[in-house]
Amino acid sequence: MSKPKDSLNYTNKIVESDNFALQKRLLVGTPTLGLIRMEWAVARYGQVIPSNWSKVDMVQYLNSFIPMRYSVADAQNLIVAEAINRGYEWILFLEDDTIPPPDAFIRFNDYMRKGDIPVVSGLYFTRSDPAEPMVYRGRGNSYYTDWKLGDKVWVDGVPTGMLLVKTDLMKKVWDNSPEYTSNGMRARRVFHTPETTFFNEETGAQEVVVGTSDLDWCKRVIQEGYLKDYPAVANKKYPYLIDTNISCMHIDRNDGTQFPLEGIQEWCARRNMI
């Protein structure tokens, strides 16, 4: 007798010992299309792990959870749901086209141990030539430049390519977000890709302007006052921290091109930012 089709699928279970329960410190979540570069795998799984450290990667053989074939916002929301439902203290979004430095976990661990800054990002560039750093103060005014490589920069907008967030902050946003179902999985719209439709009188066409889920989330967290319980950032105009020591390359999944093309050190050196 042939096996039922479902029995051919891989399954993933987390089993906790009664004597030594899993320390739910960090959930590393990766939205992915299922296609990654070898360079990403080497950077991701070659990370230096802090001593006596607890994390869970949502990959099958590493007890992992990686939403596939969802929109970016849907994948982010499912990762948030997993972190909240399982009681993780922190979420690290690490997208599958971000190449982190080998000491990224070491540096993030310092922020986790202190625990006073709820949102910390690595330095991340656009996948373009010339590449631009995603370091934002305000909207519509390009990227912020008054920093040097190695600085810790306060901003009001961060990408989710390499982003550490306290789960209790996400829970505050989660509790005030509408429920929805994506491909049979229930979540809440913590992250949302904004769209605006308008009639363009010059072209005579109905046009759509689409934003990004990460900057939309950053704006919402500030405007709805979710940072008021974190004294270190509550009164800051720019409450999110970018640690430029955690400098990440952005890779094209198809041909392996990495951005900025000249490398981060050279990019900063040419602009007297080093």
Side-chain angles (χ1 to χ4, degrees):
M1 180 181 295
S2 62
K3 294 182 179 179
K5 184 176 180 181
D6 287 347
S7 67
L8 300 178
N9 294 334
Y10 289 102
T11 59
N12 176 47
K13 295 180 180 179
I14 297 177
V15 179
E16 297 184 18
S17 166
D18 293 334
N19 297 322
F20 190 76
L22 177 67
Q23 179 68 33
K24 295 179 179 178
R25 183 71 164 157
L26 175 70
L27 176 71
V28 181
T30 298
T32 183
L33 297 174
L35 175 66
I36 64 168
R37 295 284 307 184
M38 176 58 73
E39 296 92 331
W40 183 89
V42 170
R44 169 62 196 85
Y45 299 116
Q47 287 292 306
V48 179
I49 305 300
S51 63
N52 195 30
W53 208 52
S54 173
K55 70 172 179 61
V56 168
D57 285 282
M58 309 307 282
V59 183
Q60 193 250 325
Y61 57 89
L62 292 175
N63 293 334
S64 76
F65 175 83
I66 297 183
M68 295 178 65
R69 302 182 184 91
Y70 292 86
S71 72
V72 172
D74 285 343
Q76 291 166 333
N77 290 333
L78 292 171
I79 289 167
V80 172
E82 181 75 4
I84 291 173
N85 292 336
R86 289 190 174 273
Y88 288 96
E89 297 177 37
W90 295 85
I91 305 170
L92 178 62
F93 294 99
L94 202 175
E95 294 179 358
D96 67 357
D97 56 0
T98 304
I99 307 294
D103 63 347
F105 285 177
I106 297 286
R107 294 186 181 276
F108 278 126
N109 187 47
D110 289 340
Y111 292 103
M112 292 167 59
R113 291 177 62 201
K114 192 169 183 181
D116 59 333
I117 302 174
V119 180
V120 181
S121 174
L123 176 64
Y124 192 49
F125 287 74
T126 58
R127 198 168 58 202
S128 61
D129 184 27
E132 299 179 345
M134 296 186 187
V135 181
Y136 302 130
R137 286 189 174 185
R139 301 294 180 269
N141 56 354
S142 190
Y143 58 88
Y144 178 66
T145 59
D146 190 13
W147 54 272
K148 293 185 182 298
L149 191 62
D151 286 351
K152 296 180 180 181
V153 188
W154 293 98
V155 297
D156 63 2
V158 288
T160 51
M162 190 71 175
L163 185 66
L164 180 72
V165 184
K166 262 195 163 184
T167 305
D168 60 6
L169 172 59
M170 284 295 190
K171 180 66 163 56
K172 298 176 194 298
V173 185
W174 174 274
D175 289 341
N176 290 286
S177 301
E179 285 192 1
Y180 75 109
T181 301
S182 177
N183 289 352
M185 299 188 70
R186 296 174 64 85
R188 290 178 180 257
R189 292 198 186 279
V190 174
F191 288 93
H192 170 66
T193 302
E195 293 183 359
T196 300
T197 303
F198 69 100
F199 179 75
N200 189 327
E201 295 182 354
E202 294 183 0
T203 64
Q206 198 78 8
E207 299 185 5
V208 178
V209 176
V210 181
T212 60
S213 60
D214 44 18
L215 293 183
D216 179 76
W217 178 86
C218 290
K219 178 181 177 182
R220 180 184 174 192
V221 168
I222 294 172
Q223 289 188 342
E224 297 183 13
Y226 295 117
L227 296 171
K228 64 182 180 181
D229 295 328
Y230 306 94
V233 302
N235 297 317
K236 284 185 174 292
K237 182 178 180 180
Y238 304 110
Y240 308 127
L241 183 64
I242 294 178
D243 187 337
T244 66
N245 290 295
I246 309 173
S247 52
C248 305
M249 296 294 286
H250 198 167
I251 191 168
D252 187 300
R253 298 182 191 88
N254 295 315
D255 62 15
T257 303
Q258 296 188 30
F259 301 89
L261 295 179
E262 64 269 49
I264 295 172
Q265 289 274 346
E266 181 62 25
W267 189 98
C268 291
R270 288 184 179 182
R271 294 159 179 81
N272 296 317
M273 297 170 68
I274 196 169

